[in-house]
Amino acid sequence: MTKIAVVGATGRMGKVLITAVSANEKATLTAASVRPGGEGAGSVDAGAIAGVGDLGVLLVDDLAAVINQCDVVIDFTTPQATLEHLEICANANKKIVVGTTGFSPEQLKQLQTFSESHAIVFAPNFSIGVNAAFHLLGVAAEILGGDVEIDITEAHHKHKIDAPSGTALRMGEIIQNSLSLNGHDDQLNYNSIRAGDIVGEHTVMFVGAGERIEITHRAMSRMNFATGAVRAALWLEDKSVGMFDMQDVLGLK
Ligand code: NAD
């Protein structure tokens, strides 16, 4: 049984992560944290926050106080908070699954440094469907590169801070790698929509003379990200060092 701590427990993803951990028979929630001074710390059960009934895990506002109760931390918070959590994990020799997006290049280096002595799964998108789309995009770029305009459009809820999304940037990276391997340097355009409660949609258009291919992924709920993150946490069990992503977890590399 893998013991999991969910940080950012009262966030949109935090609540769904608690539900996903409690539904997985190979995982158990042993700790849940909120930001320092955050609501419910010391008094509210994590299961009650997620709407799954009490799990016997009280929210805390200091991950360091409960870090020894878990094997793996799952973190979907903010770049700054994730870096603080990394330090706590490094000191306690714990593994981490990071879904937070919007890191600066400088902050990304700190994730890399962590991975030199600890195990981390870091992915801009934990959905299995999106990771299948990543694979298809590489193939499409390989076949179509040089002759098409490539346009990446993503849409998310109005509270999402970073744009383009981490997923759109990763899609762009995969396409560009595939293009350059085949001697092409087509330009990519990014469009971002922030509106209402859209969970997450990505469409890549390869537009050629008189035709176009579109590859679209639509997330209908946050549960697909959460089940992917729990799968990543279980997958980390026999890893002690390294930077991994969802393609590693799914065996797509
Ligand atoms: P949210 O704002 O609803 O939740 C973030 C939570 O983190 C908040 O509850 C906040 O209080 C908490 N937090 C901030 N600082 C903290 C600290 N020091 N300690 C503990 N908790 C702290 O945001 P969200 O929609 O849940 O998204 C969170 C992140 O996950 C974003 O970066 C988003 O882009 C990313 N995300 C990634 C994926 C993926 O598959 N990789 C999917 C969805 C969202």
Side-chain angles (χ1 to χ4, degrees):
M1 187 72 84
T2 302
K3 293 182 277 176
I4 294 182
V6 170
V7 295
T10 55
R12 278 176 289 265
M13 278 304 301
K15 288 187 259 196
V16 188
L17 284 162
I18 291 168
T19 305
V21 173
S22 69
N24 191 309
E25 57 188 23
K26 293 185 184 150
T28 181
L29 186 82
T30 52
S33 76
V34 297
R35 69 188 143 68
E39 213 179 318
S43 60
V44 175
D45 190 279
I49 281 289
V52 293
D54 283 4
L55 296 171
V57 177
L58 277 190
L59 297 177
V60 296
D61 68 355
D62 178 13
L63 175 64
V66 290
I67 189 72
N68 284 325
Q69 294 170 22
C70 75
D71 303 314
V72 190
V73 170
I74 302 183
D75 185 331
F76 284 59
T77 58
T78 65
Q80 191 50 46
T82 298
L83 295 184
E84 288 162 19
H85 295 143
L86 273 190
E87 200 177 327
I88 295 168
C89 287
N91 290 337
N93 198 21
K94 301 292 177 184
K95 304 163 191 196
I96 190 165
V97 172
V98 174
T100 308
T101 60
F103 292 97
S104 67
E106 209 45 54
Q107 290 173 321
L108 285 174
K109 280 189 201 148
Q110 297 187 48
L111 269 72
Q112 198 61 48
T113 303
F114 177 88
S115 75
E116 284 158 17
S117 45
H118 301 90
I120 172 170
V121 179
F122 171 50
N125 199 307
F126 278 88
S127 131
I128 290 164
V130 159
N131 282 276
F134 285 162
H135 181 74
L136 297 174
L137 288 168
V139 175
E142 185 182 339
I143 297 169
L144 302 165
D147 283 332
V148 285
E149 283 160 39
I150 303 170
D151 206 273
I152 303 177
T153 301
E154 54 97 354
H156 283 86
H157 55 88
K158 60 188 173 196
H159 304 292
K160 184 168 175 65
I161 300 164
D162 51 317
S165 68
T167 303
L169 293 172
R170 181 77 190 115
M171 287 176 159
E173 238 174 65
I174 289 166
I175 293 167
Q176 239 141 11
N177 286 345
S178 178
L179 290 172
S180 66
L181 277 176
N182 293 285
H184 302 302
D185 63 351
D186 312 47
Q187 284 301 302
L188 270 58
N189 301 312
Y190 292 89
N191 309 293
S192 296
I193 297 165
R194 295 286 172 270
D197 59 357
I198 301 169
V199 175
E201 302 188 0
H202 294 82
T203 294
V204 182
M205 283 189 203
F206 296 85
V207 186
E211 63 176 2
R212 74 169 185 260
I213 288 182
E214 294 183 12
I215 295 176
T216 295
H217 178 271
R218 289 195 180 90
M220 268 89 76
S221 94
R222 291 183 173 80
M223 190 47 90
N224 68 102
F225 306 128
T227 49
V230 175
R231 185 164 166 173
L234 300 180
W235 181 86
L236 272 178
E237 188 173 6
D238 61 353
K239 310 285 178 296
S240 51
V241 176
M243 168 73 81
F244 305 101
D245 63 18
M246 226 18 214
Q247 305 277 306
D248 294 302
V249 174
L250 298 174
L252 292 174
K253 278 189 175 163

